[in-house]
Amino acid sequence: MKSVLDKWWIGWAAAVAVVLCSFLWLWLRPPATEPDRQRDYLASSVCLLTGADGVRGTQATPVWAGMQHASQATLVKVSHVAISGDETVDNAATFLAGMAQGRCDLLLAVGEVPTQAVLSTAAKFPGTRFVVVGVPGAGPVRAVGGDAAAVRELVEQFADGQ
């Protein structure tokens, strides 16, 4: 009878050890890592100045789409700012100055008021490249067509030639 009890305790102890080891393995194992969602962007950035409609405006939508596609291909940072308040050239120039001084290496403008602000103010910011969309440029301001493909090509060239 003693030999049967000895075997029963050995089996029971083995079962407890397996359960305990399984629990410890599940509890102490390192967590599963998720795929890295972080994108390592380039140091330079491209910004879009729009009218009050923002990137939902009819002229700005394809420009923003082209900028986003170029960002995915080149990892250049893109952002946009819509003019708020009065849609005047002076007010737009305030937004433009903030963008040029703060974070934008290439600044695109789309729409009548943002474009006029760029054409009248760009010379004050020699460290920033300016592009107007859909209208002729002048002086230090370059012009590009208003379709997504043209804007994408422009931003990709910028990213390549930093």
Side-chain angles (χ1 to χ4, degrees):
M1 176 103 160
K2 190 168 184 157
S3 66
V4 172
L5 287 176
D6 288 341
K7 290 180 183 178
W8 181 81
W9 283 102
I10 292 172
W12 183 80
V16 168
V18 167
V19 169
L20 183 61
C21 287
S22 298
F23 175 74
L24 288 174
W25 179 76
L26 289 172
W27 186 53
L28 296 176
R29 73 180 172 152
T33 58
E34 293 184 24
D36 194 11
R37 295 181 186 186
Q38 177 180 339
R39 294 179 72 190
D40 293 325
Y41 286 100
L42 299 175
S44 51
S45 63
V46 179
C47 303
L48 174 64
L49 180 62
T50 69
D53 292 341
V55 294
R56 293 194 172 129
T58 57
Q59 292 176 314
T61 299
V63 174
W64 180 241
M67 290 173 67
Q68 288 180 307
H69 287 290
S71 175
Q72 291 173 349
T74 64
L75 296 178
V76 69
K77 293 179 274 190
V78 295
S79 63
H80 62 88
V81 173
I83 298 170
S84 62
D86 295 334
E87 280 213 47
T88 64
V89 174
D90 289 338
N91 188 31
T94 303
F95 287 93
L96 178 77
M99 294 168 76
Q101 292 173 349
R103 64 188 184 276
C104 301
D105 301 301
L106 175 64
L107 200 149
L108 286 79
V110 64
E112 183 180 340
V113 174
T115 298
Q116 289 175 2
V118 166
L119 292 172
S120 66
T121 312
K124 295 179 182 178
F125 305 100
T128 302
R129 298 179 204 166
F130 291 93
V131 176
V132 289
V133 179
V135 298
V141 179
R142 183 175 169 188
V144 68
D147 60 293
V151 172
R152 178 181 180 167
E153 183 178 331
L154 171 80
V155 175
E156 288 175 350
Q157 288 173 356
F158 168 76
D160 288 342
Q162 295 183 44

